[in-house]
């Protein structure tokens, strides 16, 4: 038997397009309903998902991972803060479809996303990760992100306070 951390699936990472919207929304909403990766209890409606994805598509900051014709993950980056002084800094998000974790999908997405942000001329990528999400923290560490701080009890979900770990990758 091959341990899950050694298994891989054949995955192709490509720019997202509008037709990927429903698959991305399904992955995102699963995270909303079952994890602390997104600090909201409100699933994204089809209309909200369309607007959200359109903004990323216009920026060229949305990628999907496909395996055997199925979208198995997505990654995006967007402005870290709205003020002009932060215009060279972006924040990343990487999500993998339930049942596809530990197969290299997240790594493929993060590698492509970092390359994309670098090619777009950004200076720094920030990752804001729920402090107990050790898999995401380890993934980001493998790509050179460094821990720059943890802010205690800044969010809440599932009846408990959540700490936010901030990681930084200079491009």
């Amino acid at each position: 038997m091959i341990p899950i951390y050694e298994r891989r699936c054949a995955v192709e990472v490509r720019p997202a397009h509008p037709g990927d919207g429903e698959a991305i929304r399904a992955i995102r909403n699963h995270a909303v309903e079952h994890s602390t990766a997104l600090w909201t209890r409100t699933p994204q409606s089809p209309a909200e998902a369309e607007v959200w994805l359109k903004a990323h598509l216009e920026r060229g900051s949305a990628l999907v991972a496909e395996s055997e014709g199925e979208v198995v993950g997505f990654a995006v980056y967007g402005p870290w803060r709205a003020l002009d002084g932060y215009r060279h800094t972006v924040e990343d998000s990487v999500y993998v479809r339930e049942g596809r974790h530990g197969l290299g999908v997240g790594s493929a997405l993060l590698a492509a996303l970092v390359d994309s942000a670098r090619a777009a001329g950004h200076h720094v990528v920030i990752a804001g990760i729920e402090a107990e999400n050790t898999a995401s923290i380890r993934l980001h560490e493998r790509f050179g992100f460094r821990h720059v701080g943890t802010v205690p009890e800044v969010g809440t979900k599932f009846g408990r306070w959540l700490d936010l770990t901030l990681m930084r990758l200079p491009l």
Side-chain angles (χ1 to χ4, degrees):
M1 177 160 80
I2 300 173
I4 192 164
Y5 57 83
E6 291 181 8
R7 293 185 333 188
R8 294 286 182 249
C9 67
V11 64
E12 174 194 351
V13 176
R14 61 165 174 78
H17 56 70
D20 297 319
E22 189 52 37
I24 291 170
R25 186 175 83 88
I27 294 167
R28 187 179 193 282
N29 282 348
H30 187 273
V32 167
E33 295 169 6
H34 300 282
S35 79
T36 56
L38 283 158
W39 294 7
T40 182
R41 296 171 300 176
T42 308
Q44 205 176 41
S45 72
E48 291 166 333
E50 184 177 342
V51 170
W52 177 85
L53 182 57
K54 182 179 180 194
H56 285 289
L57 295 177
E58 289 172 354
R59 259 194 312 272
S61 63
L63 303 171
V64 295
E66 275 189 335
S67 179
E68 299 176 356
E70 175 189 22
V71 173
V72 294
F74 75 91
V76 296
Y77 67 78
W80 185 51
R81 297 282 185 266
L83 299 176
D84 183 58
Y86 297 108
R87 69 188 173 279
H88 301 292
T89 302
V90 293
E91 183 173 8
D92 78 316
S93 295
V94 178
Y95 293 89
V96 176
R97 180 179 296 280
E98 183 65 25
R100 298 300 187 114
H101 296 97
L103 303 175
V105 176
S107 292
L109 283 164
L110 187 54
L113 196 70
V114 167
D115 288 346
S116 176
R118 184 176 288 120
H122 295 292
H123 181 66
V124 170
V125 179
I126 298 291
I129 304 168
E130 197 275 317
E132 292 183 12
N133 188 345
T134 56
S136 185
I137 291 169
R138 283 192 314 267
L139 170 66
H140 283 79
E141 286 173 342
R142 285 195 311 270
F143 283 87
F145 283 76
R146 295 292 170 248
H147 182 269
V148 293
T150 297
V151 188
E153 298 183 357
V154 293
T156 185
K157 191 167 180 185
F158 303 134
R160 65 184 180 93
W161 287 103
L162 304 174
D163 301 344
L164 181 66
T165 291
L166 295 172
M167 301 183 80
R168 173 185 181 271
L169 177 69
L171 299 173

